[in-house]
Amino acid sequence: MRLDIVSIFPEYLDALNISLLGKAQEIGLLEIDIHDLRDHTFDQHKTVDDTPYGGGAGMVMKPEPWALALEEILDASPVEKPVLIVPTPSGEVFNQPAASELADAVHLVFACGRYEGIDERMFHWAHEHFDVRLMSLGDYVLNGGEVAALAMIEAIGRLVPGVVGNPESLVEESHSDDGLLEYPVYTKPSMWREYEVPEILLSGDHAKIAAWRKEQQAERTRTRRPDLWTKHQDMA
Ligand code: 6GU
C-alpha cells in the first residue's frame, strides 16, 4: 500500500517510522511519503492561510498550495483516482469497519489541515481527482489533522496483510466482528502483590475458559459501552 501525507508539520508524522509501521516500510509492505505543504508556496513567508471571507475567528487554508501538493501526488499515483482522506471533526466517524475498508486501497492520501479548515473550493476540485473521504476520530476537537492521520494510518496499516506478524492477533480483539470489547488478560506470576489470576484460566479446561472469556466480554461491553451492547444484542 502506498500512503502520502500532506501537512505543514511533517515532523508530526515521524512516528510512522518506528515500531510496526516502520518495520512494514522497511520490508516494503507500506510505502509512506510525507510532504510539506509549504513547499508549494511561492512567497517569502510560505503563506498557507488567510483571513476568512465573511469574517469570523481564525484563519482559513488557501486552496492553491493544496492543489499543487496533491497534483504532484496524483502524477505519481499508481491508480486513476486515489482515496483522499481529510481528517476533520466534521467528517464521518472513522471506526474499525472504515479501517478495514480502507485497508483494501492501493493508494491513500491524507490532507492534514490546520486552523479553521481548508477553503471549500479545494474540496470541489479534489472530488474531480480523488475519492474524497472526510473522516473524524470522534466527537472532540484536535488542533489539526496530523494526530488523527497517525491514528487512522496505524489502524489501517495493521490490517494490511503481513504488517502484523501473527494474523490471529487481529481476530480476537475489541471492535472485531462480534462487536464486543476484549476479555481481560493475565500473565505470570499467578500471584502478584496478593492479586490472583482467575482460577479458571489455570484449569486447562479450554471450553470453560472460552465460555468465561465470552461472559467477561459481555459484562465489559454492557457496563463500559452500553451503545455497543445494544448493537450486539440487535445482531444476535
Ligand atoms: Cl479527524 N481532526 C481534528 N482536527 N479533530 C478531530 C478529529 C479529526 N477527530 C476528532 N477530532
Side-chain angles (χ1 to χ4, degrees):
M1 173 186 284
R2 188 171 165 129
L3 295 141
D4 286 281
I5 306 145
V6 184
S7 165
I8 57 166
F9 293 121
E11 317 90 280
Y12 253 111
L13 288 314
D14 285 351
L16 295 170
N17 295 324
I18 58 178
S19 188
L20 211 73
L21 297 187
K23 182 81 188 167
Q25 290 183 76
E26 275 174 35
I27 63 178
L29 291 171
L30 301 177
E31 187 187 336
I32 305 182
D33 279 307
I34 317 293
H35 309 262
D36 189 340
L37 184 68
R38 293 194 199 275
D39 290 345
H40 302 275
T41 59
F42 301 98
D43 64 307
Q44 190 98 69
H45 298 102
K46 299 184 185 266
T47 309
V48 294
D49 63 333
D50 208 332
T51 53
Y53 276 119
M59 299 289 271
V60 174
M61 297 193 99
K62 297 161 69 65
E64 184 63 8
W66 283 107
L68 293 174
L70 295 172
E71 272 167 346
E72 190 177 280
I73 291 165
L74 276 172
D75 285 343
S77 179
V79 297
E80 183 79 23
K81 225 177 178 211
V83 178
L84 178 66
I85 300 176
V86 184
T88 168
S90 58
E92 55 175 311
V93 174
F94 178 86
N95 51 18
Q96 195 64 25
S100 185
E101 181 204 333
L102 292 165
D104 291 329
V106 170
H107 187 195
L108 297 179
V109 183
F110 286 80
C112 301
R114 289 254 146 189
Y115 314 117
E116 301 306 310
I118 305 171
D119 186 308
E120 191 66 19
R121 294 167 295 179
M122 194 284 287
F123 297 96
H124 297 303
W125 170 83
H127 275 289
E128 294 179 29
H129 307 281
F130 294 90
D131 173 8
V132 181
R133 303 285 296 270
L134 278 69
M135 308 218 79
S136 167
L137 291 188
D139 297 338
Y140 50 87
V141 179
L142 303 170
N143 287 332
E146 287 78 7
V147 167
L150 283 175
M152 293 187 223
I153 292 166
E154 185 158 313
I156 295 164
R158 62 195 295 284
L159 298 179
V160 171
V163 172
V164 168
N166 179 3
E168 282 198 34
S169 45
L170 299 175
V171 181
E172 287 191 12
E173 60 186 12
S174 296
H175 306 295
S176 60
D177 290 344
D178 63 5
L180 295 174
L181 302 181
E182 264 214 86
Y183 53 75
V185 295
Y186 302 85
T187 188
K188 290 172 275 299
S190 62
M191 170 84 91
W192 172 76
R193 297 194 178 191
E194 315 303 312
Y195 296 93
E196 285 175 44
V197 169
E199 212 174 298
I200 193 157
L201 296 178
L202 310 174
S203 71
D205 186 334
H206 297 296
K208 269 196 178 158
I209 290 169
W212 179 84
R213 284 176 168 167
K214 262 280 170 275
E215 281 166 33
Q216 293 291 312
Q217 287 190 278
E219 183 57 15
R220 279 190 163 189
T221 309
R222 194 179 60 74
T223 55
R224 296 180 188 177
R225 292 292 302 274
D227 57 320
L228 293 182
W229 181 241
T230 302
K231 238 199 271 178
H232 170 80
Q233 285 177 307
D234 292 344
M235 264 165 43

